[in-house]
Amino acid sequence: MTITNNIHDTALIFEGGGMRASYTAGILNTLLENEIYFDYVAGISAGSSHSVNYISRDIERAKRSFVDLVTDPKFGGWKSFFRGEGYFRAHYIYEETPYPEATLPFDFNTFMSNPARLRIGTFERDSGEIVYYSKEDIHTIEDLMKIVRSSSSMPIFMPPTYYDNHYYVDGGLGGGIALDIARKDGMKKVFVVLSREKGYRKQSTKYKGALKAYYRKYPVVTEALLNRHVVYNQILEELEDMESEGKAFLVYPDIMPVSNREVNYHRLSESYRLGYEQGQRDLVKWQRFLSK
């Protein structure tokens, strides 16, 4: 079967946000169910998981990744955190679950067959460079999942990811919304799925001393964490300007009922339901923007 896409002039961008992606998974699945297929998709952190699930057109996996997976006893918790495996057990989540007989099978063949362009952003620990990987960098499912893990390695709560002779931490350190690469790639319009309510602005961290101590060997990580709110808020302002010019559609959650570290299945399930219901309600607005 030949896979085709029908949105050619607009970038689909997924913001990260850890387990807040349970809500935006409902937005993602509304797009897929209504056959809204973008040919350019970019994501960072949890948004990278959304991006690859979207390109593989896997409605079930999109939900399970941020709702059902928390019921897996191997998912994580404080015991795994203190063992050095991370509060979210990154190796297990990204590198052990995506195979056919495993917990969260990934349709790699559909993913690779989809002609949509992909950009996944991550943060190189030692240089501070924001690195964007594309489908041209992906040859195996192992490549893909290492890249998604690299983008999603939440500071402190997950260990850095070693891939391609580099250590990476969460791509959110570079701002968290892949507007820069979409512009660089020539995209004039964007459809951005955000994981914070309208009007939200990130505040500076309260734990400057603790961060400096924890990352004392990696000053560029410390600097990025301390400056993250400035970069993030600048991106939001750029997006709002684009929206006022008719060049962006920003999907804000009506309400964000969970934190980025939520692990309660019932709360995550409710979060997904709310996101999905918002998608059903707002679908006509999206279609109107995308048809212009």
Side-chain angles (χ1 to χ4, degrees):
M1 181 182 70
T2 301
I3 297 175
T4 59
N5 297 293
N6 50 27
I7 306 295
H8 302 291
D9 61 347
T10 305
L12 171 60
I13 300 175
F14 289 108
E15 182 183 5
M19 302 309 287
R20 288 194 291 269
S22 56
Y23 191 104
T24 51
I27 304 295
L28 186 167
N29 280 347
T30 301
L31 292 171
L32 289 181
E33 286 179 359
N34 289 277
E35 299 182 354
I36 299 174
Y37 300 139
F38 292 78
D39 69 353
Y40 183 103
V41 187
I44 291 174
S45 195
S48 67
S49 290
H50 274 353
S51 296
V52 301
N53 288 334
Y54 174 85
I55 289 177
S56 69
R57 299 189 178 174
D58 196 331
I59 289 171
E60 182 180 355
R61 193 177 196 274
K63 175 178 180 286
R64 292 182 63 212
S65 295
F66 293 98
V67 179
D68 303 74
L69 191 59
V70 298
T71 63
D72 187 329
K74 298 179 182 179
F75 180 74
W78 289 114
K79 288 183 179 178
S80 64
F81 175 80
F82 288 115
R83 286 198 302 265
E85 299 174 334
Y87 184 75
F88 302 107
R89 291 185 67 225
H91 187 276
Y92 175 73
I93 292 169
Y94 298 102
E95 297 183 53
E96 296 183 36
T97 64
Y99 297 101
E101 303 304 320
T103 307
L104 202 61
F106 181 78
D107 188 345
F108 187 69
N109 289 335
T110 298
F111 170 83
M112 291 301 288
S113 298
N114 190 327
R117 287 187 288 169
L118 170 71
R119 301 289 183 263
I120 292 177
T122 189
F123 185 95
E124 210 280 337
R125 184 189 66 180
D126 299 315
S127 69
E129 181 184 1
I130 308 301
V131 178
Y132 281 99
Y133 283 98
S134 68
K135 284 181 76 174
E136 288 70 32
D137 301 305
I138 298 162
H139 306 287
T140 66
I141 192 171
E142 288 78 14
D143 288 332
L144 176 62
M145 292 303 163
K146 273 285 193 180
I147 290 167
V148 173
R149 177 183 170 184
S150 296
S151 181
S152 308
S153 296
M154 191 182 294
I156 299 177
F157 287 90
M158 298 165 79
T161 300
Y162 185 71
Y163 176 67
D164 196 25
N165 298 315
H166 295 273
Y167 282 97
Y168 293 103
V169 291
D170 197 299
L173 269 68
I177 304 172
L179 178 61
D180 57 340
I181 192 65
R183 281 178 161 171
K184 185 177 179 181
D185 287 339
M187 305 303 294
K188 305 299 184 185
K189 293 172 63 180
V190 295
F191 185 94
V192 187
V193 181
L194 298 158
S195 59
R196 293 287 198 174
E197 298 97 325
K198 187 172 185 176
Y200 171 81
R201 288 295 186 270
K202 192 178 290 294
Q203 303 299 310
S204 61
T205 182
K206 301 175 183 177
Y207 309 107
K208 294 181 175 67
L211 288 174
K212 289 178 180 178
Y214 190 87
Y215 285 112
R216 61 190 179 278
K217 295 181 180 178
Y218 310 107
V220 295
V221 176
T222 303
E223 181 181 359
L225 284 166
L226 296 180
N227 195 49
R228 184 181 177 188
H229 66 290
V230 176
V231 178
Y232 179 83
N233 293 341
Q234 286 175 343
I235 296 171
L236 285 181
E237 288 169 10
E238 289 181 53
L239 287 171
E240 289 170 359
D241 288 343
M242 291 179 69
E243 184 180 44
S244 67
E245 297 168 0
K247 297 177 181 177
F249 194 103
L250 308 181
V251 181
Y252 297 99
D254 291 337
I255 184 172
M256 180 46 65
V258 296
S259 77
N260 63 341
R261 298 189 296 277
E262 181 62 70
V263 293
N264 181 284
Y265 168 78
H266 297 291
R267 291 183 191 134
L268 293 168
S269 184
E270 174 66 6
S271 176
Y272 175 84
R273 183 187 69 79
L274 291 170
Y276 182 78
E277 288 184 353
Q278 179 181 335
Q280 302 302 301
R281 183 197 71 207
D282 292 346
L283 174 63
V284 173
K285 295 179 186 177
W286 305 350
Q287 292 171 325
R288 191 179 304 131
F289 171 80
L290 295 170
S291 66
K292 290 178 182 177

mmCIF file of all heavy atoms in Angstrom, residues 44 120-133 150-151 161 163-175 180-181 184 218-224:
data_model
loop_
_atom_site.group_PDB
_atom_site.id
_atom_site.type_symbol
_atom_site.label_atom_id
_atom_site.label_comp_id
_atom_site.label_asym_id
_atom_site.label_seq_id
_atom_site.Cartn_x
_atom_site.Cartn_y
_atom_site.Cartn_z
ATOM 1 N N ILE A 44 9.938 17.404 19.916
ATOM 2 C CA ILE A 44 11.020 17.403 20.897
ATOM 3 C C ILE A 44 10.506 16.755 22.165
ATOM 4 O O ILE A 44 9.359 16.959 22.562
ATOM 5 C CB ILE A 44 11.501 18.842 21.177
ATOM 6 C CG1 ILE A 44 12.225 19.417 19.952
ATOM 7 C CG2 ILE A 44 12.407 18.901 22.394
ATOM 8 C CD1 ILE A 44 12.607 20.883 20.081
ATOM 9 N N ILE A 120 13.563 15.509 14.758
ATOM 10 C CA ILE A 120 13.548 15.259 16.203
ATOM 11 C C ILE A 120 14.717 16.010 16.820
ATOM 12 O O ILE A 120 15.875 15.810 16.427
ATOM 13 C CB ILE A 120 13.654 13.762 16.523
ATOM 14 C CG1 ILE A 120 12.392 13.025 16.083
ATOM 15 C CG2 ILE A 120 13.887 13.542 18.018
ATOM 16 C CD1 ILE A 120 12.444 11.524 16.305
ATOM 17 N N GLY A 121 14.417 16.878 17.779
ATOM 18 C CA GLY A 121 15.443 17.713 18.377
ATOM 19 C C GLY A 121 15.946 17.168 19.706
ATOM 20 O O GLY A 121 15.167 16.716 20.541
ATOM 21 N N THR A 122 17.267 17.224 19.890
ATOM 22 C CA THR A 122 17.867 16.817 21.150
ATOM 23 C C THR A 122 19.014 17.756 21.497
ATOM 24 O O THR A 122 19.415 18.592 20.684
ATOM 25 C CB THR A 122 18.320 15.346 21.095
ATOM 26 O OG1 THR A 122 18.707 14.910 22.397
ATOM 27 C CG2 THR A 122 19.445 15.147 20.105
ATOM 28 N N PHE A 123 19.534 17.652 22.699
ATOM 29 C CA PHE A 123 20.522 18.591 23.234
ATOM 30 C C PHE A 123 21.808 17.850 23.543
ATOM 31 O O PHE A 123 21.817 16.940 24.387
ATOM 32 C CB PHE A 123 19.953 19.236 24.507
ATOM 33 C CG PHE A 123 20.803 20.318 25.122
ATOM 34 C CD1 PHE A 123 20.577 21.650 24.827
ATOM 35 C CD2 PHE A 123 21.818 20.002 26.016
ATOM 36 C CE1 PHE A 123 21.346 22.655 25.413
ATOM 37 C CE2 PHE A 123 22.595 20.982 26.598
ATOM 38 C CZ PHE A 123 22.359 22.317 26.293
ATOM 39 N N GLU A 124 22.897 18.219 22.879
ATOM 40 C CA GLU A 124 24.181 17.564 23.086
ATOM 41 C C GLU A 124 24.783 18.064 24.402
ATOM 42 O O GLU A 124 24.999 19.269 24.578
ATOM 43 C CB GLU A 124 25.117 17.874 21.906
ATOM 44 C CG GLU A 124 26.124 16.771 21.630
ATOM 45 C CD GLU A 124 27.323 16.813 22.573
ATOM 46 O OE1 GLU A 124 27.604 17.896 23.125
ATOM 47 O OE2 GLU A 124 27.964 15.769 22.755
ATOM 48 N N ARG A 125 25.014 17.139 25.308
ATOM 49 C CA ARG A 125 25.358 17.479 26.688
ATOM 50 C C ARG A 125 26.630 18.311 26.835
ATOM 51 O O ARG A 125 26.706 19.218 27.671
ATOM 52 C CB ARG A 125 25.508 16.191 27.506
ATOM 53 C CG ARG A 125 25.761 16.416 28.979
ATOM 54 C CD ARG A 125 26.125 15.131 29.685
ATOM 55 N NE ARG A 125 27.423 14.599 29.218
ATOM 56 C CZ ARG A 125 27.975 13.481 29.666
ATOM 57 N NH1 ARG A 125 27.338 12.755 30.569
ATOM 58 N NH2 ARG A 125 29.141 13.076 29.196
ATOM 59 N N ASP A 126 27.642 18.008 26.049
ATOM 60 C CA ASP A 126 28.946 18.628 26.272
ATOM 61 C C ASP A 126 29.141 19.929 25.500
ATOM 62 O O ASP A 126 29.874 20.817 25.946
ATOM 63 C CB ASP A 126 30.051 17.630 25.916
ATOM 64 C CG ASP A 126 29.975 16.371 26.780
ATOM 65 O OD1 ASP A 126 29.799 16.514 28.006
ATOM 66 O OD2 ASP A 126 30.068 15.261 26.232
ATOM 67 N N SER A 127 28.498 20.059 24.357
ATOM 68 C CA SER A 127 28.668 21.264 23.544
ATOM 69 C C SER A 127 27.519 22.256 23.694
ATOM 70 O O SER A 127 27.671 23.445 23.410
ATOM 71 C CB SER A 127 28.796 20.886 22.068
ATOM 72 O OG SER A 127 27.558 20.381 21.577
ATOM 73 N N GLY A 128 26.344 21.749 24.098
ATOM 74 C CA GLY A 128 25.165 22.595 24.167
ATOM 75 C C GLY A 128 24.489 22.790 22.821
ATOM 76 O O GLY A 128 23.542 23.571 22.698
ATOM 77 N N GLU A 129 24.923 22.048 21.814
ATOM 78 C CA GLU A 129 24.335 22.177 20.486
ATOM 79 C C GLU A 129 22.965 21.499 20.433
ATOM 80 O O GLU A 129 22.775 20.417 20.979
ATOM 81 C CB GLU A 129 25.250 21.533 19.438
ATOM 82 C CG GLU A 129 24.724 21.638 18.015
ATOM 83 C CD GLU A 129 25.596 20.909 17.008
ATOM 84 O OE1 GLU A 129 26.607 20.294 17.410
ATOM 85 O OE2 GLU A 129 25.253 20.928 15.816
ATOM 86 N N ILE A 130 22.014 22.169 19.778
ATOM 87 C CA ILE A 130 20.720 21.549 19.510
ATOM 88 C C ILE A 130 20.862 20.755 18.216
ATOM 89 O O ILE A 130 21.155 21.331 17.164
ATOM 90 C CB ILE A 130 19.603 22.592 19.358
ATOM 91 C CG1 ILE A 130 19.587 23.542 20.556
ATOM 92 C CG2 ILE A 130 18.250 21.900 19.188
ATOM 93 C CD1 ILE A 130 19.387 22.859 21.879
ATOM 94 N N VAL A 131 20.689 19.461 18.293
ATOM 95 C CA VAL A 131 20.871 18.575 17.150
ATOM 96 C C VAL A 131 19.506 18.087 16.680
ATOM 97 O O VAL A 131 18.717 17.574 17.484
ATOM 98 C CB VAL A 131 21.773 17.375 17.511
ATOM 99 C CG1 VAL A 131 21.917 16.427 16.317
ATOM 100 C CG2 VAL A 131 23.137 17.854 17.993
ATOM 101 N N TYR A 132 19.232 18.250 15.400
ATOM 102 C CA TYR A 132 17.989 17.738 14.827
ATOM 103 C C TYR A 132 18.290 16.542 13.938
ATOM 104 O O TYR A 132 19.047 16.646 12.974
ATOM 105 C CB TYR A 132 17.271 18.819 14.017
ATOM 106 C CG TYR A 132 16.503 19.794 14.876
ATOM 107 C CD1 TYR A 132 17.049 21.033 15.202
ATOM 108 C CD2 TYR A 132 15.241 19.479 15.377
ATOM 109 C CE1 TYR A 132 16.352 21.931 15.997
ATOM 110 C CE2 TYR A 132 14.541 20.364 16.175
ATOM 111 C CZ TYR A 132 15.091 21.592 16.478
ATOM 112 O OH TYR A 132 14.395 22.474 17.275
ATOM 113 N N TYR A 133 17.693 15.420 14.277
ATOM 114 C CA TYR A 133 17.806 14.216 13.458
ATOM 115 C C TYR A 133 16.619 14.148 12.491
ATOM 116 O O TYR A 133 15.524 14.650 12.785
ATOM 117 C CB TYR A 133 17.809 12.968 14.338
ATOM 118 C CG TYR A 133 19.124 12.719 15.036
ATOM 119 C CD1 TYR A 133 19.316 13.107 16.359
ATOM 120 C CD2 TYR A 133 20.182 12.097 14.378
ATOM 121 C CE1 TYR A 133 20.527 12.875 17.013
ATOM 122 C CE2 TYR A 133 21.388 11.866 15.013
ATOM 123 C CZ TYR A 133 21.557 12.257 16.325
ATOM 124 O OH TYR A 133 22.751 12.035 16.950
ATOM 125 N N SER A 150 17.009 9.951 23.167
ATOM 126 C CA SER A 150 17.918 11.093 23.353
ATOM 127 C C SER A 150 17.132 12.383 23.550
ATOM 128 O O SER A 150 17.442 13.198 24.422
ATOM 129 C CB SER A 150 18.830 11.243 22.129
ATOM 130 O OG SER A 150 19.681 10.135 21.981
ATOM 131 N N SER A 151 16.114 12.571 22.722
ATOM 132 C CA SER A 151 15.300 13.777 22.798
ATOM 133 C C SER A 151 14.500 13.856 24.087
ATOM 134 O O SER A 151 14.148 14.942 24.545
ATOM 135 C CB SER A 151 14.343 13.816 21.604
ATOM 136 O OG SER A 151 13.549 14.976 21.619
ATOM 137 N N THR A 161 21.450 9.982 27.330
ATOM 138 C CA THR A 161 21.471 8.892 26.351
ATOM 139 C C THR A 161 22.744 8.979 25.519
ATOM 140 O O THR A 161 23.068 10.052 24.991
ATOM 141 C CB THR A 161 20.249 8.973 25.423
ATOM 142 O OG1 THR A 161 19.059 8.875 26.213
ATOM 143 C CG2 THR A 161 20.266 7.844 24.404
ATOM 144 N N TYR A 163 24.506 8.074 22.187
ATOM 145 C CA TYR A 163 24.174 7.656 20.820
ATOM 146 C C TYR A 163 25.115 8.341 19.842
ATOM 147 O O TYR A 163 25.378 9.544 19.951
ATOM 148 C CB TYR A 163 22.721 8.021 20.485
ATOM 149 C CG TYR A 163 22.334 7.706 19.065
ATOM 150 C CD1 TYR A 163 22.264 6.382 18.628
ATOM 151 C CD2 TYR A 163 22.069 8.716 18.145
ATOM 152 C CE1 TYR A 163 21.932 6.083 17.312
ATOM 153 C CE2 TYR A 163 21.727 8.421 16.832
ATOM 154 C CZ TYR A 163 21.672 7.105 16.420
ATOM 155 O OH TYR A 163 21.346 6.800 15.122
ATOM 156 N N ASP A 164 25.627 7.584 18.904
ATOM 157 C CA ASP A 164 26.466 8.130 17.837
ATOM 158 C C ASP A 164 27.649 8.924 18.401
ATOM 159 O O ASP A 164 27.978 10.014 17.934
ATOM 160 C CB ASP A 164 25.610 9.015 16.924
ATOM 161 C CG ASP A 164 26.282 9.313 15.594
ATOM 162 O OD1 ASP A 164 27.131 8.510 15.165
ATOM 163 O OD2 ASP A 164 25.955 10.355 14.990
ATOM 164 N N ASN A 165 28.269 8.351 19.449
ATOM 165 C CA ASN A 165 29.464 8.918 20.083
ATOM 166 C C ASN A 165 29.220 10.238 20.818
ATOM 167 O O ASN A 165 30.154 11.016 21.027
ATOM 168 C CB ASN A 165 30.594 9.113 19.058
ATOM 169 C CG ASN A 165 31.047 7.806 18.452
ATOM 170 O OD1 ASN A 165 31.246 6.823 19.164
ATOM 171 N ND2 ASN A 165 31.204 7.778 17.130
ATOM 172 N N HIS A 166 27.969 10.481 21.197
ATOM 173 C CA HIS A 166 27.637 11.688 21.951
ATOM 174 C C HIS A 166 26.680 11.341 23.087
ATOM 175 O O HIS A 166 25.936 10.367 23.011
ATOM 176 C CB HIS A 166 26.970 12.732 21.047
ATOM 177 C CG HIS A 166 27.852 13.261 19.972
ATOM 178 N ND1 HIS A 166 28.703 14.325 20.155
ATOM 179 C CD2 HIS A 166 28.023 12.855 18.687
ATOM 180 C CE1 HIS A 166 29.361 14.565 19.038
ATOM 181 N NE2 HIS A 166 28.972 13.683 18.129
ATOM 182 N N TYR A 167 26.698 12.190 24.116
ATOM 183 C CA TYR A 167 25.711 12.094 25.187
ATOM 184 C C TYR A 167 24.672 13.194 24.984
ATOM 185 O O TYR A 167 25.016 14.363 24.771
ATOM 186 C CB TYR A 167 26.373 12.258 26.554
ATOM 187 C CG TYR A 167 27.098 11.020 27.028
ATOM 188 C CD1 TYR A 167 28.468 10.893 26.843
ATOM 189 C CD2 TYR A 167 26.405 9.974 27.647
ATOM 190 C CE1 TYR A 167 29.141 9.753 27.273
ATOM 191 C CE2 TYR A 167 27.070 8.838 28.083
ATOM 192 C CZ TYR A 167 28.433 8.729 27.889
ATOM 193 O OH TYR A 167 29.091 7.594 28.305
ATOM 194 N N TYR A 168 23.403 12.789 25.071
ATOM 195 C CA TYR A 168 22.316 13.730 24.863
ATOM 196 C C TYR A 168 21.405 13.794 26.088
ATOM 197 O O TYR A 168 21.199 12.796 26.786
ATOM 198 C CB TYR A 168 21.470 13.310 23.658
ATOM 199 C CG TYR A 168 22.203 13.398 22.344
ATOM 200 C CD1 TYR A 168 22.701 12.259 21.718
ATOM 201 C CD2 TYR A 168 22.388 14.629 21.721
ATOM 202 C CE1 TYR A 168 23.373 12.337 20.506
ATOM 203 C CE2 TYR A 168 23.056 14.720 20.499
ATOM 204 C CZ TYR A 168 23.548 13.572 19.908
ATOM 205 O OH TYR A 168 24.216 13.660 18.702
ATOM 206 N N VAL A 169 20.863 14.986 26.299
ATOM 207 C CA VAL A 169 19.801 15.164 27.286
ATOM 208 C C VAL A 169 18.602 15.781 26.579
ATOM 209 O O VAL A 169 18.661 16.125 25.396
ATOM 210 C CB VAL A 169 20.257 16.037 28.476
ATOM 211 C CG1 VAL A 169 21.284 15.306 29.313
ATOM 212 C CG2 VAL A 169 20.809 17.377 28.015
ATOM 213 N N ASP A 170 17.528 15.920 27.316
ATOM 214 C CA ASP A 170 16.233 16.325 26.774
ATOM 215 C C ASP A 170 16.335 17.528 25.837
ATOM 216 O O ASP A 170 16.889 18.575 26.198
ATOM 217 C CB ASP A 170 15.305 16.659 27.940
ATOM 218 C CG ASP A 170 13.859 16.697 27.559
ATOM 219 O OD1 ASP A 170 13.503 17.519 26.695
ATOM 220 O OD2 ASP A 170 13.078 15.913 28.120
ATOM 221 N N GLY A 171 15.767 17.375 24.639
ATOM 222 C CA GLY A 171 15.777 18.464 23.676
ATOM 223 C C GLY A 171 15.050 19.704 24.146
ATOM 224 O O GLY A 171 15.244 20.795 23.596
ATOM 225 N N GLY A 172 14.222 19.562 25.192
ATOM 226 C CA GLY A 172 13.521 20.710 25.735
ATOM 227 C C GLY A 172 14.442 21.780 26.286
ATOM 228 O O GLY A 172 14.028 22.936 26.449
ATOM 229 N N LEU A 173 15.688 21.433 26.551
ATOM 230 C CA LEU A 173 16.636 22.425 27.052
ATOM 231 C C LEU A 173 16.895 23.522 26.029
ATOM 232 O O LEU A 173 17.334 24.618 26.379
ATOM 233 C CB LEU A 173 17.968 21.758 27.441
ATOM 234 C CG LEU A 173 18.074 21.301 28.896
ATOM 235 C CD1 LEU A 173 17.131 20.141 29.166
ATOM 236 C CD2 LEU A 173 19.505 20.883 29.222
ATOM 237 N N GLY A 174 16.630 23.216 24.777
ATOM 238 C CA GLY A 174 16.814 24.216 23.739
ATOM 239 C C GLY A 174 15.565 25.027 23.449
ATOM 240 O O GLY A 174 15.524 25.781 22.473
ATOM 241 N N GLY A 175 14.539 24.879 24.274
ATOM 242 C CA GLY A 175 13.293 25.621 24.102
ATOM 243 C C GLY A 175 12.075 24.725 24.109
ATOM 244 O O GLY A 175 11.046 25.065 24.667
ATOM 245 N N ASP A 180 12.259 26.560 15.197
ATOM 246 C CA ASP A 180 13.479 26.979 14.505
ATOM 247 C C ASP A 180 13.792 26.088 13.307
ATOM 248 O O ASP A 180 14.096 26.568 12.214
ATOM 249 C CB ASP A 180 14.668 27.027 15.476
ATOM 250 C CG ASP A 180 14.923 25.701 16.184
ATOM 251 O OD1 ASP A 180 14.001 24.848 16.252
ATOM 252 O OD2 ASP A 180 16.044 25.512 16.699
ATOM 253 N N ILE A 181 13.702 24.782 13.495
ATOM 254 C CA ILE A 181 14.049 23.873 12.395
ATOM 255 C C ILE A 181 12.979 23.914 11.300
ATOM 256 O O ILE A 181 13.298 23.811 10.107
ATOM 257 C CB ILE A 181 14.282 22.430 12.908
ATOM 258 C CG1 ILE A 181 14.914 21.569 11.809
ATOM 259 C CG2 ILE A 181 12.996 21.800 13.409
ATOM 260 C CD1 ILE A 181 16.305 21.994 11.408
ATOM 261 N N LYS A 184 13.808 26.882 9.287
ATOM 262 C CA LYS A 184 15.031 26.621 8.525
ATOM 263 C C LYS A 184 14.740 25.744 7.317
ATOM 264 O O LYS A 184 15.357 25.894 6.251
ATOM 265 C CB LYS A 184 16.071 25.967 9.422
ATOM 266 C CG LYS A 184 17.428 25.752 8.775
ATOM 267 C CD LYS A 184 18.416 25.160 9.752
ATOM 268 C CE LYS A 184 19.774 24.934 9.084
ATOM 269 N NZ LYS A 184 20.754 24.337 10.041
ATOM 270 N N TYR A 218 28.998 19.722 33.816
ATOM 271 C CA TYR A 218 28.423 20.017 32.503
ATOM 272 C C TYR A 218 27.809 21.416 32.518
ATOM 273 O O TYR A 218 26.583 21.578 32.549
ATOM 274 C CB TYR A 218 27.380 18.957 32.131
ATOM 275 C CG TYR A 218 27.915 17.557 32.310
ATOM 276 C CD1 TYR A 218 27.487 16.747 33.361
ATOM 277 C CD2 TYR A 218 28.896 17.059 31.448
ATOM 278 C CE1 TYR A 218 28.005 15.478 33.536
ATOM 279 C CE2 TYR A 218 29.422 15.792 31.621
ATOM 280 C CZ TYR A 218 28.970 15.011 32.672
ATOM 281 O OH TYR A 218 29.499 13.750 32.845
ATOM 282 N N PRO A 219 28.656 22.436 32.481
ATOM 283 C CA PRO A 219 28.153 23.813 32.634
ATOM 284 C C PRO A 219 27.179 24.245 31.551
ATOM 285 O O PRO A 219 26.311 25.081 31.802
ATOM 286 C CB PRO A 219 29.438 24.649 32.608
ATOM 287 C CG PRO A 219 30.480 23.779 31.968
ATOM 288 C CD PRO A 219 30.116 22.382 32.353
ATOM 289 N N VAL A 220 27.299 23.681 30.340
ATOM 290 C CA VAL A 220 26.358 24.105 29.288
ATOM 291 C C VAL A 220 24.946 23.606 29.591
ATOM 292 O O VAL A 220 23.959 24.244 29.211
ATOM 293 C CB VAL A 220 26.809 23.638 27.883
ATOM 294 C CG1 VAL A 220 28.110 24.315 27.478
ATOM 295 C CG2 VAL A 220 26.931 22.136 27.800
ATOM 296 N N VAL A 221 24.841 22.456 30.272
ATOM 297 C CA VAL A 221 23.519 21.964 30.679
ATOM 298 C C VAL A 221 22.926 22.901 31.725
ATOM 299 O O VAL A 221 21.757 23.288 31.651
ATOM 300 C CB VAL A 221 23.604 20.526 31.214
ATOM 301 C CG1 VAL A 221 22.238 20.067 31.726
ATOM 302 C CG2 VAL A 221 24.104 19.573 30.129
ATOM 303 N N THR A 222 23.760 23.273 32.707
ATOM 304 C CA THR A 222 23.300 24.201 33.741
ATOM 305 C C THR A 222 22.827 25.509 33.125
ATOM 306 O O THR A 222 21.744 26.015 33.451
ATOM 307 C CB THR A 222 24.434 24.488 34.743
ATOM 308 O OG1 THR A 222 24.885 23.262 35.315
ATOM 309 C CG2 THR A 222 23.953 25.411 35.844
ATOM 310 N N GLU A 223 23.630 26.050 32.223
ATOM 311 C CA GLU A 223 23.276 27.321 31.590
ATOM 312 C C GLU A 223 21.961 27.207 30.825
ATOM 313 O O GLU A 223 21.109 28.100 30.896
ATOM 314 C CB GLU A 223 24.399 27.746 30.639
ATOM 315 C CG GLU A 223 24.141 29.077 29.953
ATOM 316 C CD GLU A 223 25.253 29.465 28.989
ATOM 317 O OE1 GLU A 223 26.243 28.701 28.879
ATOM 318 O OE2 GLU A 223 25.123 30.508 28.333
ATOM 319 N N ALA A 224 21.776 26.106 30.108
ATOM 320 C CA ALA A 224 20.543 25.917 29.343
ATOM 321 C C ALA A 224 19.333 25.804 30.259
ATOM 322 O O ALA A 224 18.267 26.364 29.970
ATOM 323 C CB ALA A 224 20.668 24.680 28.465
#
